């Protein structure tokens, strides 16, 4: 079964409602944005001697085709995916009865109903459904990947085994998509600036409304509301903590009541308008009066970010950066954050550059038009509190351009 694929720009159904434009919407050339991203995917496939890929991860589907439907749901259900060949039709396999959502996207050549084989969707019919999907893949292979080798980003064990039985080799599409996404176009940068604008609106509101007696969850909800009401999409984590819960880091927000004089730290991890991520960390003190220990922690975090960001420029190797990076004092090292730098785009992206003892990516280089964040967490082992800071940057010809403009605290 195939959906009828008809794009008729001359047909404009009457709309009996008013819509509000998203931030920077009139600045963005969406045709240019979409064509650039799909072309990046195809070029990476060619570079790796691959003829096609299946994408199930909704973030990768969004990157390739700019089509969106129940993204979080589809992160744990294989119910929506796309087929992208180097040469041939781009096919979106859409969730039941949702074909209308993507009918305006002219890079999608064909819409087909998704064939699902997970147990939730099909129960005792799962095996039969999987056979249908395998037959679909075999049919596509006859024309669009005759090598019988296909890149797929997310797939369960039964599907991989079934493809292997048909002599179809599955390779990981994660490398393909991460490398495609790493260099941002001018239109992507506009989208990212919009997401950062929204995140910083939320941060301003959080700082203004922060007061003793509110819970961590109440404070965190302000960012969520700001994001959603400005056409943002979701927040990846719940990283907000106060007082003694700021050390060690990575404790998610709860119903702890925030007290006067406590540190409150958070990491936005916010997927905002157009699907782009604003990844900014800030630390406030309730009442805005830092004590001496809080000043020390905050100053160290600022020093680490400033030092490491000054190192980064187009052409610098990840290994050289790691070797020259700011040295975290011994008493703080066991509580270190997981990365010093990571890529950012539609979500956290390649590379993840870790501390010298932790391995991670060493073979690559920073490149012009990469977007990254520089991270710091400073919390002494056994200490009372800790400070989390993070800034988002664009790599230009002469170093880094700061993209996140909410000011750091004046201590």
């Amino acid at each position: 079964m195939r959906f009828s694929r008809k794009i008729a720009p001359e047909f404009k159904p009457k709309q009996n409602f008013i819509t509000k434009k998203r931030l920077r919407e009139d600045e963005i050339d969406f045709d240019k944005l979409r064509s650039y991203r799909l072309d990046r995917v195809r070029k990476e496939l060619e570079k790796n001697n691959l003829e096609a890929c299946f994408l199930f991860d909704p973030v990768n589907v969004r990157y390739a085709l700019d089509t969106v439907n129940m993204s979080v749901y589809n992160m744990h259900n294989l119910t929506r995916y796309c087929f992208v060949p180097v040469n041939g039709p781009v096919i979106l396999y859409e969730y039941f009865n949702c074909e209308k959502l993507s009918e305006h996207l002219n890079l999608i050549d064909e819409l087909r109903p998704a064939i699902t084989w997970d147990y939730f969707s099909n129960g005792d019919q799962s095996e039969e459904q999987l056979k249908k999907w395998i037959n679909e893949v075999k049919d596509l292979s006859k024309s669009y990947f005759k090598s019988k080798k296909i890149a797929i980003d997310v797939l369960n064990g039964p599907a991989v085994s079934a493809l292997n039985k048909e002599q179809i080799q599955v390779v990981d599409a994660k490398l393909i998509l991460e490398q495609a996404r790493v260099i941002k176009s001018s239109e992507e940068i506009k989208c990212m600036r919009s997401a950062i604008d929204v995140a910083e609106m939320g941060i301003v509101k959080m700082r203004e409304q922060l007061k003793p007696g509110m819970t961590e969850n109440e404070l965190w909800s302000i960012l969520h509301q700001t994001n959603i009401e400005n056409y943002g999409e979701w927040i990846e984590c719940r990283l907000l903590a106060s007082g003694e819960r700021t050390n060690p880091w990575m404790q998610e927000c709860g119903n702890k009541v925030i007290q006067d004089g406590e540190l409150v730290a958070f990491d936005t991890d916010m997927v905002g308008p157009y699907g782009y991520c604003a990844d900014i960390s800030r630390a406030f003190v309730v009442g805005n009066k830092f004590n001496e220990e809080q000043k020390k922690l905050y100053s160290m975090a600022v020093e680490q970010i400033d030092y490491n960001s000054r190192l980064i420029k187009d052409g610098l190797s990840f290994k050289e950066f790691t070797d020259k990076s700011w040295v975290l004092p011994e008493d703080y090292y066991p509580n270190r954050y997981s990365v010093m730098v990571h890529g950012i785009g539609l979500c956290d992206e390649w590379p993840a550059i870790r501390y010298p003892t932790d391995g991670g990516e060493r073979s690559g280089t920073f490149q012009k038009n990469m977007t990254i964040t520089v991270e710091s967490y400073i919390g002494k082992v056994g200490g009372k509190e800790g400070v989390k800071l993070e800034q988002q940057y664009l790599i230009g010809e002469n170093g880094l351009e700061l993209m996140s403009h909410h000011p750091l605290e004046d201590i």
Side-chain angles (χ1 to χ4, degrees):
M1 175 183 175
R2 293 186 172 94
F3 293 132
S4 175
R5 180 62 172 148
K6 295 180 180 178
I7 301 175
E10 71 279 359
F11 175 70
K12 295 181 180 180
K14 185 177 180 181
Q15 293 184 345
N16 295 314
F17 55 84
I18 299 170
T19 61
K20 178 182 176 181
K21 287 191 175 181
R22 295 165 288 180
L23 289 180
R24 301 178 186 264
E25 187 170 337
D26 290 335
E27 301 174 22
I28 300 165
D29 185 330
F30 289 97
D31 287 340
K32 190 175 178 181
L33 170 75
R34 293 162 183 155
S35 296
Y36 172 85
R37 297 192 313 199
L38 181 58
D39 185 57
R40 290 279 302 179
V41 174
R42 284 176 158 154
K43 284 180 177 177
E44 285 298 322
L45 286 168
E46 285 187 294
K47 190 185 299 184
N48 288 273
N49 298 312
L50 292 164
E51 297 171 88
C53 64
F54 272 103
L55 303 176
F56 287 82
D57 183 331
V59 176
N60 288 335
V61 175
R62 176 68 175 272
Y63 182 82
L65 304 182
D66 204 27
T67 177
V68 184
N69 186 14
M70 304 186 301
S71 294
V72 177
Y73 177 88
N74 284 300
M75 288 177 185
H76 58 91
N77 290 290
L78 302 178
T79 55
R80 187 175 191 265
Y81 47 95
C82 67
F83 174 73
V84 178
V86 172
N87 296 297
V90 172
I91 304 170
L92 174 64
Y93 291 83
E94 184 57 276
Y95 189 84
F96 177 76
N97 244 2
C98 291
E99 61 272 18
K100 184 175 180 61
L101 299 179
S102 298
E103 63 186 5
H104 63 291
L105 296 171
N106 59 11
L107 293 181
I108 300 171
D109 298 301
E110 190 175 339
L111 282 161
R112 300 185 186 182
I115 301 170
T116 63
W117 64 91
D118 63 297
Y119 187 80
F120 162 67
S121 301
N122 300 283
D124 62 7
Q125 298 300 305
S126 297
E127 190 172 335
E128 289 302 311
Q129 286 294 107
L130 177 55
K131 289 177 183 177
K132 292 179 183 179
W133 186 74
I134 294 297
N135 287 334
E136 180 83 359
V137 177
K138 287 168 61 179
D139 183 58
L140 291 171
S141 73
K142 294 173 185 176
S143 299
Y144 306 118
F145 59 104
K146 296 179 180 180
S147 65
K148 304 295 183 182
K149 186 163 66 171
I150 183 76
I152 306 179
D153 57 355
V154 179
L155 204 60
N156 61 12
V160 174
S161 297
L163 287 172
N164 289 342
K165 286 179 183 178
E166 299 294 336
Q167 311 304 315
I168 295 175
Q169 180 186 355
V170 178
V171 299
D172 188 6
K174 190 73 171 177
L175 179 149
I176 306 299
L177 269 294
E178 290 286 347
Q179 289 298 321
R181 285 157 50 177
V182 73
I183 302 298
K184 306 300 188 291
S185 71
S186 59
E187 305 309 307
E188 288 187 276
I189 298 301
K190 294 173 188 175
C191 293
M192 188 174 288
R193 292 191 195 281
S194 176
I196 292 171
D197 287 346
V198 171
E200 294 187 334
M201 289 178 198
I203 291 171
V204 168
K205 291 178 182 177
M206 291 170 76
R207 193 178 190 282
E208 290 174 346
Q209 296 180 41
L210 174 60
K211 60 184 179 182
M214 71 189 312
T215 66
E216 293 171 348
N217 283 333
E218 287 169 342
L219 182 62
W220 190 233
S221 71
I222 296 168
L223 181 63
H224 281 259
Q225 179 180 347
T226 305
N227 189 35
I228 297 302
E229 68 188 8
N230 285 283
Y231 216 88
E233 301 194 7
W234 71 84
I235 293 179
E236 299 256 272
C237 308
R238 291 172 54 88
L239 293 175
L240 181 147
S242 61
E244 63 188 51
R245 297 185 69 253
T246 61
N247 187 350
W249 188 239
M250 299 300 289
Q251 300 186 60
E252 296 195 326
C253 62
N255 273 338
K256 177 189 173 298
V257 177
I258 300 169
Q259 304 296 317
D260 191 36
E262 287 186 326
L263 267 170
V264 176
F266 61 90
D267 188 339
T268 62
D269 291 308
M270 191 197 87
V271 179
Y274 316 110
Y276 280 84
C277 190
D279 198 5
I280 303 164
S281 296
R282 292 292 183 266
F284 305 143
V285 168
V286 186
N288 300 323
K289 294 181 180 178
F290 285 71
N291 63 36
E292 291 306 309
E293 179 61 21
Q294 291 167 343
K295 288 180 181 180
K296 177 182 176 182
L297 296 171
Y298 199 95
S299 296
M300 288 174 66
V302 172
E303 182 181 348
Q304 181 177 23
I305 286 180
D306 286 349
Y307 183 98
N308 285 345
S309 63
R310 285 195 296 268
L311 294 174
I312 297 170
K313 59 183 179 181
D314 180 24
L316 179 75
S317 73
F318 300 153
K319 182 180 185 304
E320 184 177 357
F321 170 82
T322 303
D323 292 342
K324 292 181 177 179
S325 61
W326 191 78
V327 178
L328 192 61
E330 185 176 346
D331 289 348
Y332 298 81
Y333 198 77
N335 274 353
R336 65 193 176 278
Y337 193 65
S338 59
V339 297
M340 296 183 286
V341 175
H342 67 78
I344 192 73
L346 294 176
C347 59
D348 286 8
E349 296 180 349
W350 181 92
I353 302 177
R354 305 185 186 280
Y355 283 86
T357 57
D358 297 335
E361 182 68 60
R362 298 290 183 92
S363 60
T365 59
F366 292 104
Q367 302 171 61
K368 182 183 174 184
N369 292 331
M370 286 175 65
T371 46
I372 60 170
T373 74
V374 181
E375 305 248 18
S376 176
Y377 172 73
I378 303 294
K380 192 173 184 178
V381 175
K384 181 180 177 182
E385 294 180 311
V387 167
K388 175 68 167 62
L389 295 179
E390 180 181 14
Q391 297 279 48
Q392 194 159 332
Y393 297 93
L394 168 67
I395 300 178
E397 292 181 358
N398 301 312
L400 296 187
E401 175 195 335
L402 183 64
M403 299 184 76
S404 46
H405 297 296
H406 181 272
L408 298 176
E409 297 298 290
D410 183 8
I411 60 171

